[in-house]
Amino acid sequence: MSSALTSPFALPCGVVLPNRIAKAAMTERLSDRDQRPNRRHQTLYEHWSESGSGLLISGNVLVDKRYKEASGNVVIEDEQIVESLRAWVKAGTKAGNQFWAQVNHAGRQASIFSSFKPLAPSAVKLKKLGLFAKPKAMTEAEVEDAIQRYVQTALLCQKAGFTGVQIHAAHGYLMSQFLSPRTNLRTDRYGGTIEGRARALLEIVRQCREKLGPDYPLSVKINSADFQRGGFEESDAMYVIKALEELKVDLLEISGGTYENIIFLTKRYQKESTRQREAYFLDFAEKIRTQTTLPLMVTGGFRSLAFCEEVIASGKLDVIGFARPYLMDASFPQSMLDGTVERVPDAAFDFKPRMMADLAEAGYYDYQIHQLAKGKSLKPGYNPYIGLLRFTKNEMVKGWF
């Protein structure tokens, strides 16, 4: 079927996406204790490569094994991992699609299963069910070390064959922590005004663009806002976006929220108008569309073929990111493109302890990922209570024992 969604899109660097559909990053939690990709990664991404998507973005690829977002993260610190990465990339590009690595550092969102002494811009603790230790405020030397780790990991990803990289500066991870005045209380050159708070991210992007070359896709994912009083706001985001445009970023992905306010996982903070028209962050994308030439991608809430076609055809976005639909329909997005389904459903379950609902959701979707990674069928009726227990047990076993 020929449509706006199936039309190719040329990035500023010259690389062409086969279509406008991207699988956004979802943490796989599939690595063993060696933190390397394995056969399960290959099975999962070969399946997704053959799904009809033009772009796949990996789950969190961490730059420092001491501070992981999840115990099953892939960590890329040196060349010893390159061969195992190549097998993953080969599987993930089987159908001729783009496959980019999402490069990240958890910062204070490294759970106690990963570290009891996480690093962060400032010593501001993440208060969530006692799962996160109070972080240590980074010295300038540690900030500069982290910057170089991002760049080194990006270069290793390029060497391994990933067709692009994305720097993760959203969802409350380290670069997002630097951007937010709630978590960045520094008074040195990496804090204060948005110019200082954005310095680490922009230096990473500047060096990546310089060393990866002008023809290699470079993406950044940022929050439109973190939805917390006194936090990262739209005016801050606009400053960062204009700076990223000058640094010749190829694709800007818009998202929002942090672990303390997980709007990217739940619907509880959405306006009624947003619920009705699907996409969570499209309002902000429309605001910046007239102020930047950066290609735009929004992830979150897209479910119907008709709405996706409308958004691309109108020029509001260049690429649409999907995540959970891949875990609700194993044939997505081809099932949508060929007209088999007009709308992808959300999981229908109710988890009563609200303070743990997001962890139960994470456990539910984590199980679906593991099913696909084993070459098995999805199980939409999976019990989220069991998912929570399984999720917690796996983090403890991989992280502590």
Side-chain angles (χ1 to χ4, degrees):
M1 181 180 87
S2 179
S3 67
L5 275 177
T6 59
S7 63
F9 179 71
L11 299 169
C13 67
V15 169
V16 177
L17 302 182
N19 60 47
R20 308 305 185 92
I21 297 174
K23 183 208 77 68
M26 293 183 283
T27 296
E28 302 97 359
R29 297 186 175 88
L30 291 172
S31 74
D32 297 317
R33 292 183 183 177
D34 61 5
Q35 309 302 149
R36 297 177 180 228
N38 51 46
R39 182 59 195 170
R40 289 175 295 175
H41 289 86
Q42 295 167 33
T43 300
L44 178 64
Y45 276 84
E46 183 173 318
H47 167 79
W48 279 337
S49 176
E50 296 174 333
S51 71
S53 307
L55 169 63
L56 305 179
I57 302 176
S58 78
N60 283 322
V61 168
L62 275 294
V63 305
D64 193 327
K65 65 184 177 183
R66 297 172 296 177
Y67 312 110
K68 300 186 295 293
E69 169 262 342
S71 297
N73 287 145
V74 170
V75 180
I76 302 177
E77 293 182 307
D78 56 51
E79 296 204 12
Q80 295 180 17
I81 196 175
V82 168
E83 282 305 313
S84 57
L85 291 175
R86 284 176 176 151
W88 185 18
V89 171
K90 182 178 179 181
T93 54
K94 183 178 180 180
N97 55 282
Q98 288 282 303
F99 181 21
W100 299 354
Q102 185 185 78
V103 179
N104 197 13
H105 184 306
R108 72 170 189 159
Q109 287 184 178
S111 77
I112 56 174
F113 304 123
S114 170
S115 175
F116 285 107
K117 295 181 179 179
L119 295 180
S122 301
V124 180
K125 184 178 180 180
L126 172 57
K127 298 176 181 179
K128 192 172 183 68
L129 300 174
L131 294 174
F132 301 90
K134 185 174 182 179
K136 171 185 174 295
M138 300 169 77
T139 64
E140 285 201 37
E142 286 170 329
V143 176
E144 290 160 7
D145 175 69
I147 290 170
Q148 293 309 310
R149 285 174 178 271
Y150 276 89
V151 177
Q152 172 70 1
T153 297
L155 289 170
L156 290 171
C157 287
Q158 183 186 43
K159 184 173 183 177
F162 280 99
T163 60
V165 296
Q166 181 182 78
I167 305 301
H168 197 348
H171 297 175
Y173 295 113
L174 184 63
M175 285 302 111
S176 179
Q177 292 160 32
F178 269 99
L179 292 173
S180 173
R182 283 179 61 92
T183 49
N184 185 346
L185 309 180
R186 304 175 71 93
T187 56
D188 63 7
R189 64 197 188 103
Y190 293 108
T193 64
I194 185 58
E195 289 83 0
R197 288 182 277 122
R199 191 181 306 279
L201 170 62
L202 298 180
E203 183 59 21
I204 290 167
V205 175
R206 185 190 68 77
Q207 290 192 37
C208 281
R209 175 47 81 206
E210 177 182 309
K211 295 180 180 181
L212 293 171
D215 303 326
Y216 189 76
L218 176 60
S219 171
V220 176
K221 183 172 187 173
I222 69 165
N223 282 352
S224 60
D226 58 26
F227 302 97
Q228 292 182 290
R229 188 182 300 276
F232 186 70
E233 298 179 343
E234 288 188 2
S235 59
D236 295 330
M238 185 54 66
Y239 170 85
V240 176
I241 289 166
K242 288 184 179 296
L244 293 175
E245 183 176 3
E246 292 180 5
L247 292 171
K248 302 186 185 305
V249 164
D250 290 294
L251 185 65
L252 179 72
E253 182 181 358
I254 303 294
S255 192
T258 70
Y259 276 17
E260 290 174 315
N261 194 336
I262 310 185
I263 193 169
F264 58 93
L265 281 182
T266 69
K267 295 185 177 181
R268 68 187 115 166
Y269 301 107
Q270 297 170 30
K271 296 184 295 184
E272 182 60 28
S273 60
T274 301
R275 292 192 194 96
Q276 290 179 356
R277 68 172 192 151
E278 299 184 27
Y280 302 169
F281 308 108
L282 189 56
D283 287 342
F284 179 69
E286 290 180 11
K287 288 180 184 179
I288 67 172
R289 191 54 148 168
T290 60
Q291 300 183 54
T292 180
T293 61
L294 280 177
L296 297 179
M297 168 180 164
V298 166
T299 301
F302 290 98
R303 294 294 181 268
S304 70
L305 174 61
F307 184 66
C308 294
E309 289 283 1
E310 173 193 328
V311 168
I312 295 297
S314 67
K316 294 176 182 177
L317 295 177
D318 301 298
V319 179
I320 293 179
F322 298 90
R324 290 178 172 182
Y326 289 88
L327 305 179
M328 294 304 299
D329 176 1
S331 61
F332 181 86
Q334 193 58 54
S335 58
M336 180 178 283
L337 293 174
D338 64 19
T340 303
V341 298
E342 291 289 327
R343 184 182 183 89
V344 181
D346 287 304
F349 61 77
D350 185 24
F351 189 84
K352 295 300 183 184
R354 294 187 64 186
M355 66 184 299
M356 301 178 72
D358 52 342
L359 293 179
E361 288 188 49
Y364 174 89
Y365 289 107
D366 179 65
Y367 177 79
Q368 308 303 333
I369 287 176
H370 281 243
Q371 285 291 103
L372 293 177
K374 295 174 184 176
K376 296 182 178 181
S377 300
L378 297 173
K379 290 189 177 180
Y382 184 67
N383 189 319
Y385 290 88
I386 297 175
L388 175 62
L389 293 174
R390 174 183 169 278
F391 177 82
T392 305
K393 184 196 76 171
N394 288 348
E395 286 295 299
M396 290 180 64
V397 169
K398 286 186 179 181
W400 287 351
F401 304 106

